[in-house]
Amino acid sequence: NIWMVTRYEDKEYVLDKELKEVDVNTATPEEIAAFEAHERDAMKVHCIMLTNMTDELQKSYEDFYPYEMHKDLLDR
């Protein structure tokens, strides 16, 4: 279900692409904008993912980004 929702919202990339910090002192405006957009999208997907988990899983994954959650869940 998560994949369908993220695909519908054009945010499925956050499940497959790690969010890497950028150095605002050396990054281009385009890199900063891309990072900020990815971070916003990741937060939305994070919320969607957590609301579809049991309470136990929510507690386990509350501090994970979607990419990390997705990877960890696939490894289980």
Side-chain angles (χ1 to χ4, degrees), residues 8-73:
Y8 174 77
E9 294 291 333
D10 294 324
K11 309 224 183 302
E12 72 272 11
Y13 75 95
V14 301
L15 298 175
D16 298 320
K17 184 177 178 188
E18 187 174 8
L19 179 61
K20 295 188 179 183
E21 294 284 333
V22 295
D23 182 350
V24 295
N25 297 319
T26 59
T28 66
E30 293 81 14
E31 291 170 327
I32 294 169
F35 170 79
E36 290 173 346
H38 189 158
E39 190 172 42
R40 276 191 308 275
D41 290 346
M43 183 56 66
K44 291 175 184 177
V45 172
H46 174 84
C47 293
I48 292 167
M49 291 177 79
L50 287 181
T51 60
N52 286 286
M53 293 180 176
T54 63
D55 290 341
E56 183 180 314
L57 283 175
Q58 284 178 358
K59 290 175 186 170
S60 298
Y61 289 113
E62 66 186 352
D63 295 326
F64 283 58
Y65 276 109
Y67 170 82
E68 296 157 338
M69 273 193 268
H70 182 241
K71 194 169 184 180
D72 192 65
L73 289 167

